[in-house]
Amino acid sequence: MKKLSTVLYLTLAFTLASVDARADCSKLILPPDTVMQEKKIAIVRVSEINLRSGPGVTFCVFSHFGEGIQWQEVPVIGSHRSWRLVIMNGRKGWVHYMMFDPKTL
């Protein structure tokens, strides 16, 4: 029983630490397996996107871009799975790759 409670406690502590890290909207999260690349230009294909602190929907939204964003060129400087690290309005953040014209990625 003591082992089980220790495992549960550690699991809960790890989960809360992960949530706390994702809740910090003041800094950019770069997972260890982020692939940095030379700046490449991608074209936004949707009318609204969110610039996030990390590569996933559970991360904070740094900025929301709406009207006027579609067809704009955006520098892509890295990737993590299906997310792209971009620079928008001078700020780095993560956007899902489906928000861009696939021919430009």
Side-chain angles (χ1 to χ4, degrees):
M1 187 65 161
K2 188 174 182 179
K3 278 187 179 182
L4 179 60
S5 63
T6 302
V7 169
L8 289 174
Y9 173 77
L10 291 173
T11 302
L12 179 60
F14 178 75
T15 302
L16 291 176
S18 297
V19 169
D20 286 345
R22 291 179 182 212
D24 184 0
C25 292
S26 65
K27 55 185 162 186
L28 183 67
I29 308 296
L30 293 175
D33 53 343
T34 298
V35 177
M36 300 305 287
Q37 61 193 46
E38 283 192 40
K39 188 168 33 171
K40 181 179 184 178
I41 301 297
I43 297 175
V44 178
R45 71 177 193 165
V46 295
S47 58
E48 294 183 34
I49 59 174
N50 290 321
L51 186 66
R52 295 185 176 274
S53 62
V57 295
T58 58
F59 289 93
C60 296
V61 175
F62 277 155
S63 299
H64 173 81
F65 296 90
E67 192 173 323
I69 193 67
Q70 192 171 20
W71 308 123
Q72 282 195 11
E73 295 180 344
V74 176
V76 178
I77 59 171
S79 64
H80 177 73
R81 298 180 186 150
S82 60
W83 291 82
R84 300 299 174 258
L85 182 59
V86 300
I87 303 171
M88 297 183 75
N89 287 357
R91 189 164 194 185
K92 293 178 186 176
W94 293 94
V95 177
H96 194 271
Y97 83 97
M98 293 295 291
M99 303 298 118
F100 300 107
D101 182 339
K103 295 175 199 163
T104 61
L105 290 176

